[in-house]
Amino acid sequence: MHNFNYAQAQNIGEAIEFAKGNESAKFIAGGTNLIDLLKYNITTANMLVDINHVPEHHLIEEKSDGGVRLGAFVTNADTAYHPLIESRYPLLSKAILAGASAQIRNMATNGGNLLQRTRCYYFYDPATPCNKREPGTGCSAIGGYNRIMAVLGTSENCIAVFPSDMCVALAALQAVVNITGPEGDRSMPFADFHRLPGDTPHLDNNLKTDEIIVSIDLPEKGFDKNYSYLKLRDRSSYAFALVSVATGLELENNLIKEARIALGGLAHKPWRVEKAEDFLKDKEPTMSNFASAAEMILFGATGFEHNSFKIELAKRAIVRNCMMALNPESQQPGAQPSL
Amino acid sequence: MEIVTKSTRNVLQPRLLSLRVNGVPRILEVSPWVSLLDGLRDHLDLTGTKKGCDHGQCGACTVICDGKRILSCLTLAVMKNGSEITTIEGISNGDELHPLQKAFIEHDAFQCGYCTPGQICSAIGMIDEKKAQTRAEVKDSMSGNLCRCGANSNIIDAIMEVKERRNHA
Ligand SMILES: Cc1cc2nc3c(=O)[nH]c(=O)nc-3n(C[C@H](O)[C@H](O)[C@H](O)COP(=O)(O)OP(=O)(O)OC[C@H]3O[C@@H](n4cnc5c(N)ncnc54)[C@H](O)[C@@H]3O)c2cc1C
Ligand code: SF4
Ligand code: FES
Ligand code: FES
């Protein structure tokens, strides 16, 4: 690792102060992504501002509007196992627990999870061109080995995927990200937080470099009766998703009152298509209706040399996951739902 | 004791830290970019904790920090100032091996032994968490610890035995 300075911020104001006007300062929370990238010299920093000792934003609490607020500095493990999350937002618990390993979840924070960077192999290899790592150098994945890359929302500059599991559930739940910075506080709907690569693939999201995520709000509706998270990957634990699906359904008299379907592993951000969710409204929760929705969600998907399989895989994963959401018991550990 | 705050913000010099390692207060002087793993191994000569990948992918560096299993390669020593760390060197009671150490021997749960300190520290953390119950859950919860010798099924056998005994204690 290259040399850098380090300071512990004792409050949010101090953290902002430390980073102000220093493009090369980075906040550090759990460190599980940042330290890895620093070791590879993919990210550089002359200053790390440790935000773990800020006294606020370490809680998960109910809000007066019926929702729940997740402090940005709460670990992924404490979030997944929190009684409020297990009981009211089990989709979020499942998605978090499908990611990384127990040790990493004990370290990783909620804020850091949103800001983790892609796992594109070329991004991780400084010997190869990569527009995300070094803007303007080209994309090695488009003509290279691209099995894990995106099939939706790609651009001619970058076909990387955003690798988070937690964020797929947050997209389905329509969370809101609360931010603070030198210019004050602001909030962003989850759908607006991450970006598509377009011609600025070096930007993963719309957070400014001197801004801090302080919390994430979950709306009241948690889909605690009918939900499912399905993660398909090369080994059944401790691997990133090839395709993942978060489904939340609200049912009434065997009709779908509301449906949320978000996909991971397919794009530069969690993927949701509201038209497909609207289509499911007032329909019966059948395989054929879910299959029609899946077609709408994958509309326009384009594969590259090694990843076209993801398109069919995603469609089937959507149908299977929506069927599993009808009976969440079917996804208890050890259960092997088959369709 | 030097406190790492504003007053030192423009200095790249090593920092003095205090850690409680295996019950013993230790002071070490490290640069900000030294990982907790390197701090333990190179500065405190506690080489029981292993460096496998140095990138969070193998679990060999697992230690218990303030009661939780973490990867010492993905955190900085300076970030853990004031923490309580338990490494493989600290789990036996003198010459009396920890139940997991005994079970690993009885179940032949290693070949080269390189992953073993991380496996055992991770298993201690897992048992304390009280989340994983069935064998399938234990396997999933231990999936952050790889064994390139393939002793995995014996490792899970050893952990299950100790876990069940705990449950009945
Ligand atoms: C081997 C391995 C396997 C993994 N597998 C998975 C997986 O299967 N699924 C999955 O979803 N994830 C996986 N992860 C990624 C892991 O979830 C992330 O590394 C973690 O969530 C990042 O959180 P952190 O607190 O450690 O962030 P850090 O590493 O501390 O920070 C990451 C970035 O966010 C910034 N930052 C952190 N917090 C804030 C904040 N509050 N405000 C502003 N900026 C902030 C930092 O400056 C940095 O740029 C894996 C990681 C590893 C190492
Ligand atoms: S896909 Fe994106 S991250 Fe990967 S090489 Fe191309 S530009 Fe870089
Ligand atoms: S050395 Fe830390 S996980 Fe491999
Ligand atoms: S015993 Fe050799 S790596 Fe596990």
Side-chain angles (χ1 to χ4, degrees):
Chain A
M1 244 184 310
H2 64 276
N3 298 2
F4 47 75
N5 208 332
Y6 168 87
Q8 279 180 5
Q10 302 305 316
N11 54 60
I12 286 280
E14 202 173 80
I16 293 170
E17 190 63 27
F18 278 138
K20 206 157 88 186
N22 181 357
E23 286 277 311
S24 183
K26 284 253 178 302
F27 299 115
I28 185 157
T32 60
N33 193 220
L34 184 56
I35 292 178
D36 191 27
L37 294 168
L38 287 169
K39 284 183 179 178
Y40 283 119
N41 267 328
I42 293 160
T43 297
T44 54
N46 65 8
M47 168 77 159
L48 293 192
V49 179
D50 187 341
I51 48 181
N52 291 293
H53 301 270
V54 167
E56 312 92 12
H57 315 299
H58 287 275
L59 291 178
I60 290 181
E61 45 192 356
E62 282 183 299
K63 292 169 54 215
S64 54
D65 69 0
V68 166
R69 175 164 288 178
L70 313 176
F73 308 130
V74 181
T75 64
N76 286 179
D78 287 345
T79 305
Y81 292 125
H82 194 283
L84 274 176
I85 305 304
E86 281 187 324
S87 62
R88 292 187 50 192
Y89 306 93
L91 176 62
L92 180 60
S93 285
K94 294 272 178 208
I96 293 173
L97 295 177
S101 67
Q103 292 97 314
I104 293 170
R105 296 191 297 265
N106 276 343
M107 307 169 78
T109 63
N110 292 336
N113 194 302
L114 270 61
L115 300 169
Q116 63 176 295
R117 308 217 61 194
T118 186
R119 295 281 160 167
C120 169
Y121 344 96
Y122 302 103
F123 175 74
Y124 261 85
D125 179 1
T128 59
C130 167
N131 285 326
K132 189 180 276 300
R133 182 168 27 77
E134 269 179 85
T137 55
C139 171
S140 299
I142 291 175
Y145 186 60
N146 42 41
R147 180 168 178 271
I148 64 170
M149 304 297 166
V151 295
L152 286 162
T154 55
S155 78
E156 58 190 27
N157 301 304
C158 179
I159 59 170
V161 304
F162 175 59
S164 167
D165 289 294
M166 178 182 187
C167 290
V168 182
L170 291 176
L173 292 167
Q174 292 188 338
V176 173
V177 186
N178 300 315
I179 297 163
T180 191
E183 263 116 68
D185 300 342
R186 60 185 184 129
S187 294
M188 227 187 267
F190 207 78
D192 298 340
F193 187 80
H194 295 100
R195 299 166 61 97
L196 289 179
D199 51 15
T200 53
H202 60 292
L203 299 176
D204 297 344
N205 53 62
N206 289 314
L207 191 76
K208 297 191 194 120
T209 52
D210 54 3
E211 286 184 317
I212 300 179
I213 298 177
V214 292
S215 60
I216 299 151
D217 286 344
L218 304 175
E220 185 168 10
K221 198 176 272 187
F223 301 94
D224 59 330
K225 302 238 167 12
N226 292 103
Y227 64 89
S228 182
Y229 188 73
L230 176 63
K231 180 174 179 182
L232 302 175
R233 42 187 158 170
D234 286 323
R235 58 179 181 216
S236 63
S237 187
Y238 205 21
F240 286 94
L242 288 167
V243 170
S244 71
V245 192
T247 300
L249 298 174
E250 196 182 10
L251 301 171
E252 213 174 76
N253 306 323
N254 199 36
L255 289 182
I256 298 170
K257 231 178 116 195
E258 186 162 2
R260 302 271 179 81
I261 301 172
L263 302 186
L266 295 173
H268 204 256
K269 60 190 286 187
W271 197 260
R272 258 185 80 204
V273 175
E274 283 181 39
K275 208 176 86 186
E277 296 174 0
D278 290 342
F279 161 83
L280 288 172
K281 236 175 234 170
D282 301 320
K283 299 226 167 41
E284 285 183 29
T286 60
M287 281 180 77
S288 71
N289 282 332
F290 292 134
S292 303
E295 290 297 331
M296 292 176 168
I297 295 170
L298 270 295
F299 180 78
T302 316
F304 294 83
E305 190 179 350
H306 312 103
N307 72 350
S308 297
F309 74 96
K310 281 192 175 188
I311 299 173
E312 184 60 25
L313 188 64
K315 290 179 189 171
R316 295 188 194 191
I318 291 168
V319 175
R320 174 166 156 187
N321 195 52
C322 289
M323 294 307 286
M324 291 202 302
L326 300 176
N327 177 17
E329 298 299 309
S330 65
Q331 6 141 19
Q332 293 312 309
Q336 298 281 332
S338 59
L339 271 179
Chain B
M1 172 84 13
E2 186 182 10
I3 309 291
V4 191
T5 56
K6 236 177 197 157
S7 57
T8 55
R9 64 186 287 196
N10 291 316
V11 197
L12 290 173
Q13 76 203 16
R15 316 293 168 92
L16 276 178
L17 309 177
S18 78
L19 298 174
R20 221 180 141 78
V21 184
N22 300 326
V24 181
R26 304 288 301 257
I27 304 280
L28 61 166
E29 198 177 353
V30 293
S31 296
W33 49 91
V34 172
S35 67
L36 176 62
L37 174 60
D38 289 344
L40 291 169
R41 290 180 55 86
D42 301 344
H43 293 255
L44 297 179
D45 278 337
L46 291 168
T47 53
T49 307
K50 300 300 182 221
K51 184 184 283 190
C53 63
D54 210 21
H55 288 282
Q57 302 186 356
C58 73
C61 66
T62 304
V63 298
I64 298 158
C65 176
D66 298 326
K68 299 216 158 114
R69 50 176 167 162
I70 65 159
L71 299 178
S72 59
C73 72
L74 287 189
T75 191
L76 301 171
V78 283
M79 292 171 70
K80 296 301 171 194
N81 193 11
S83 289
E84 171 106 39
I85 314 271
T86 304
T87 68
I88 191 72
E89 288 92 343
I91 66 165
S92 69
N93 183 7
D95 285 342
E96 171 75 7
L97 292 181
H98 185 280
L100 275 161
Q101 289 175 306
K102 282 190 211 155
F104 267 58
I105 295 169
E106 280 155 23
H107 288 271
D108 207 5
F110 46 80
Q111 284 182 41
C112 76
Y114 200 82
C115 70
T116 313
Q119 298 278 5
I120 290 179
C121 287
S122 184
I124 291 173
M126 187 209 71
I127 291 170
D128 285 349
E129 283 158 18
K130 298 192 178 70
K131 296 294 176 193
Q133 296 304 336
T134 64
R135 189 179 174 94
E137 287 166 354
V138 168
K139 277 171 79 175
D140 185 60
S141 187
M142 288 297 298
S143 66
N145 293 83
L146 307 187
C147 174
R148 55 98 51 217
C149 297
N152 304 71
S153 58
N154 294 2
I155 292 170
I156 302 298
D157 288 346
I159 296 170
M160 288 306 286
E161 187 200 304
V162 174
K163 208 183 80 62
E164 313 265 276
R165 248 190 280 140
R166 275 293 152 86
N167 286 354
H168 297 123

